Amino acid sequence: MTSSTHIDVGVIDFDELGAWMDAEGLPGGPITGQAPVLGGTQNVMVRFERGGRPYILRRPPLHTRRKSNEVLRREARVLAALRDTPVPAPRLVAAQTAREPVFYLMEPVDGFNPSTGLPEPHASDPAIRHRMGLEAAAALAELGRVDPAVLPGFGRPEGFLERQVPRWLKELDSYGELDGYPGPDIPGLHETAGWLTRHLPRTFTPGVMHGDYHFANLMFAPDSPRVAAIVDWEMCTIGDPLVDLGWLLAMWPSGNEHVPGLPPPRELVAYYGALSERDMSAIDWYAVMACFKLGIVLEGTHARAFAGKAPQDLGDLLHAATLGLFERAREFMDGALD
């Protein structure tokens, strides 16, 4: 995690925070060393120390978004559930979820995010970089082993896979409400939707899903290829954990240009499979589904650009990414993982 001066630490009342920490039975004393931390979302993250212990505070921005508090309440619940599991996740210290603004304290993660570059020894050791890819699969397999009963009432696993294609086609249709958008010009769109419908896995074992699993949401140990923490849990739900593996495959190795020499997708799948009891026979479906969903999500910015609600160059860039994802879906449908 790196400092960022554009986050306003002044939105936090540290006297009030200290009183709350006292009530939680945490070490007392003056709060020192306050410094903003750049995170993956618009939420405020601040590092500080108290009583000889470092903390990260995560809370909504001063001007909250519609679901800011709900998202943080959900994240805190997930981190609390994972605290006593082997899953590498930020360790929750305490959370204030009964009133708004919701916030929580977690222990700082000793690690780095590879999307901003590699430190040594990772930068100069190809064996470490190769192993980083396998460790990403291993951390995901560990998450897939967590009993979903730790998050009762979380998500709707019944019919989860059946809902996916209609859900995202409906999302794509909604872009037609944006002025000027001519509709999706995506070769392979209907072919891919049809293939997904015909090849829908018959059954799956519900589990805890991260919901946005890729390298930008991983922090690695500074001295090894080990995943130090999976971060940004706001999309977490109970569903099919193999959807997370499909998401990783859809973005592999795209977006991982800072980590040359990662293992090929089929090695990733084999490694995950060796660590998991899940049925891997339909893994191509999960990879195609991820390409389909992500492609439609990115097309939303393209549509908003037509309506003047997003920069045109960004819309064009993401439309090109959508076309690439549907080409990748075609490769998976043709057996790229066999």
Side-chain angles (χ1 to χ4, degrees), residues 196-253:
L196 287 166
T197 302
R198 292 192 305 274
H199 292 85
L200 182 76
R202 293 180 181 178
T203 61
F204 73 93
T205 302
V208 180
M209 277 180 56
H210 179 269
D212 191 19
Y213 195 84
H214 55 94
F215 256 45
N217 282 335
L218 297 178
M219 296 185 70
F220 286 83
D223 57 354
S224 80
R226 177 180 58 86
V227 174
I230 307 165
V231 299
D232 285 350
W233 290 88
E234 61 188 60
M235 304 296 291
C236 179
T237 191
I238 303 299
D240 187 341
L242 288 180
V243 171
D244 277 339
L245 181 57
W247 198 254
L248 188 62
L249 292 168
M251 301 180 73
W252 197 268

Side-chain angles (χ1 to χ4, degrees), residues 128-255:
I128 287 183
R129 296 196 301 272
H130 182 271
R131 185 72 197 180
M132 286 172 70
L134 300 181
E135 291 293 325
L140 188 57
E142 195 67 69
L143 177 62
R145 280 193 286 272
V146 173
D147 185 348
V150 301
L151 288 166
F154 220 72
R156 294 187 296 133
E158 186 70 31
F160 179 79
L161 295 183
E162 290 88 341
R163 291 195 299 271
Q164 296 304 307
V165 170
R167 156 80 176 85
W168 293 104
L169 286 177
K170 183 179 179 181
E171 177 75 8
L172 185 61
D173 285 344
S174 74
Y175 301 159
E177 299 170 8
L178 292 161
D179 289 340
Y181 181 55
D185 182 10
I186 305 173
L189 170 65
H190 298 293
E191 179 187 9
T192 305
W195 186 93
L196 287 166
T197 302
R198 292 192 305 274
H199 292 85
L200 182 76
R202 293 180 181 178
T203 61
F204 73 93
T205 302
V208 180
M209 277 180 56
H210 179 269
D212 191 19
Y213 195 84
H214 55 94
F215 256 45
N217 282 335
L218 297 178
M219 296 185 70
F220 286 83
D223 57 354
S224 80
R226 177 180 58 86
V227 174
I230 307 165
V231 299
D232 285 350
W233 290 88
E234 61 188 60
M235 304 296 291
C236 179
T237 191
I238 303 299
D240 187 341
L242 288 180
V243 171
D244 277 339
L245 181 57
W247 198 254
L248 188 62
L249 292 168
M251 301 180 73
W252 197 268
S254 174

